[in-house]
Amino acid sequence: MKKMVFNKKQEHMEEEKSILKNAIDSIQIGIEDYKNKDERRYLSAVRNISAGILLLFKERLRRLSPDDSDEVLIKKTIRPIVDPKTKIIAFSGKGKKTVDVFEIRERFNSLNIKVNWQDFDKIVELRNNIEHYYSDQSPAVIAEIISKAFLIIRDFCYLHLDEEPLLLFGEETWNTFLEVEDIYQKEKEICETLIGEINWQYETVKNAITDLRCPDCQSDLIVSNGVYKYTPGSEMPLSCRKCSANFDLEDVIEEIIVDSLGGAAYMAMTDGGEDPYEMCPDCGKTTYVHDEGTCLACGYSQAEKYCALCHTPLNLTEAYESELCSYHQWTFEKNEKD
């Protein structure tokens, strides 16, 4: 019996060391992969750093788990147990499987553990893009990923682990984080200043431009290429400061509008109401924004029109195609065939 208790305590101590140690090792290896300058190892760098962050999150849950609960807060399966003497109900972890990202987020919310999930989600999104779409261009976004990871790791270590990140990860690793963060933030500030000088004319475009990324490498370090007033249907040349690609806002306007207004579109679909945007009947892009009363890609604007027969307001497509509502248009076409 004593041997069994000793083994459990030993296992607990080993697990206590392993989660944090694995987090440190994973992040250090990720930085080593990045510094290697071999582009084939950039994806490995992103994977290791992402995995290290998740392990830091699990370490916090492990530390919050009650003693003798088998690290309940990091276990995927939780079971209730009753103390045979006191009859008090407690909860214990079961099995070896640990929580995934979704479950970590849920438990952090319940425990009021604050994390910049927006930056973390962006890291995951960029990692997925590198893995599935931009493997040849991964150097272009690696600095952004490391910069965002640096902020999450730094804040989490200080606020939730009560650890000094410099001591945890070592001077070499932490200095690399600091260097990349400094370079990226300086570049980002330059881009934001230059983009901020553009007269976008439409509030929707001004808001959506924060989601602007290079179509070649997915970097967000974008600047204007000589034009400082946006007019739908006219050229708006842009340049990427990461991969030097030149492109026009027209190439990405549909994507950023849909991304920016996606939440409002979802609410309209689930709660009822008018979609914030729809397909422009003139250019075919999903960029006709009703609040702006125009297509933000081509500039087409439809004046308010009413059916010539029943005087009901025509929707965008009806107004573009005829003077009749869809019902009377159908009736008219049917009578013509007859």
Side-chain angles (χ1 to χ4, degrees), residues 188-200 205-206 208-210 212 220-225 227-228 236-239 247 249:
K188 185 63 177 171
E189 286 172 12
I190 292 170
C191 293
E192 287 179 345
T193 298
L194 294 174
I195 287 290
E197 293 174 356
I198 298 172
N199 177 5
W200 294 107
V205 180
K206 186 178 179 181
I209 215 70
T210 57
L212 181 64
D220 64 345
L221 300 178
I222 308 299
V223 294
S224 171
N225 207 357
V227 177
Y228 291 94
M236 184 70 215
L238 301 168
S239 294
F247 62 100
L249 184 62

Side-chain angles (χ1 to χ4, degrees), residues 295-307:
C295 173
L296 298 177
C298 71
Y300 174 77
S301 184
Q302 177 61 61
E304 191 173 22
K305 288 175 67 175
Y306 297 86
C307 176

Side-chain angles (χ1 to χ4, degrees), residues 40 51 64 106 168 183 255:
R40 293 171 298 178
L64 288 173
E106 278 194 326
L168 275 183
I183 293 169
E255 180 182 351

Side-chain angles (χ1 to χ4, degrees), residues 211-270:
D211 296 319
L212 181 64
R213 288 186 174 273
C214 172
D216 284 0
C217 74
Q218 287 294 286
S219 170
D220 64 345
L221 300 178
I222 308 299
V223 294
S224 171
N225 207 357
V227 177
Y228 291 94
K229 183 177 180 180
Y230 177 62
T231 303
S234 300
E235 289 186 354
M236 184 70 215
L238 301 168
S239 294
C240 174
R241 286 177 67 97
K242 259 301 184 184
C243 70
S244 302
N246 295 314
F247 62 100
D248 197 276
L249 184 62
E250 183 184 3
D251 301 330
V252 295
I253 184 72
E254 185 173 26
E255 180 182 351
I256 65 172
I257 292 297
V258 171
D259 284 348
S260 179
L261 297 179
Y266 177 78
M267 292 296 291
M269 180 182 68
T270 55

Side-chain angles (χ1 to χ4, degrees), residues 75-177:
K75 294 299 175 67
K76 183 176 283 288
T77 303
I78 298 175
R79 60 178 180 176
I81 54 174
V82 180
D83 188 297
K85 293 181 179 179
T86 64
K87 305 301 181 184
I88 294 175
I89 297 176
F91 292 89
S92 175
K94 180 183 178 182
K96 295 293 184 182
K97 287 188 176 181
T98 58
V99 287
D100 57 24
V101 178
F102 177 77
E103 290 159 335
I104 290 173
R105 192 184 297 232
E106 278 194 326
R107 294 182 191 186
F108 274 17
N109 286 339
S110 297
L111 296 166
N112 199 30
I113 298 173
K114 304 297 183 185
V115 171
N116 187 338
W117 288 112
Q118 186 175 357
D119 273 0
F120 181 80
D121 290 342
K122 184 58 69 175
I123 290 172
V124 173
E125 179 187 340
L126 293 172
R127 183 197 66 195
N128 291 339
N129 285 344
I130 291 173
E131 287 183 331
H132 301 296
Y133 305 110
Y134 303 102
S135 57
D136 295 336
Q137 299 289 344
S138 55
V141 291
I142 188 69
E144 181 183 353
I145 292 173
I146 290 178
S147 176
K148 292 183 185 302
F150 162 78
L151 297 175
I152 292 173
I153 292 168
R154 181 197 64 189
D155 292 347
F156 197 80
C157 286
Y158 281 132
L159 298 175
H160 302 298
L161 297 180
D162 196 25
E163 301 276 3
E164 169 59 59
L166 175 61
L167 298 179
L168 275 183
F169 300 103
E171 186 175 349
E172 184 177 352
T173 296
W174 201 242
N175 281 344
T176 302
F177 266 121

Side-chain angles (χ1 to χ4, degrees), residues 12-25:
H12 173 80
M13 290 172 65
E14 288 174 357
E15 189 165 7
E16 181 177 338
K17 292 178 181 177
S18 67
I19 294 179
L20 184 58
K21 184 180 185 304
N22 287 343
I24 294 168
D25 289 347

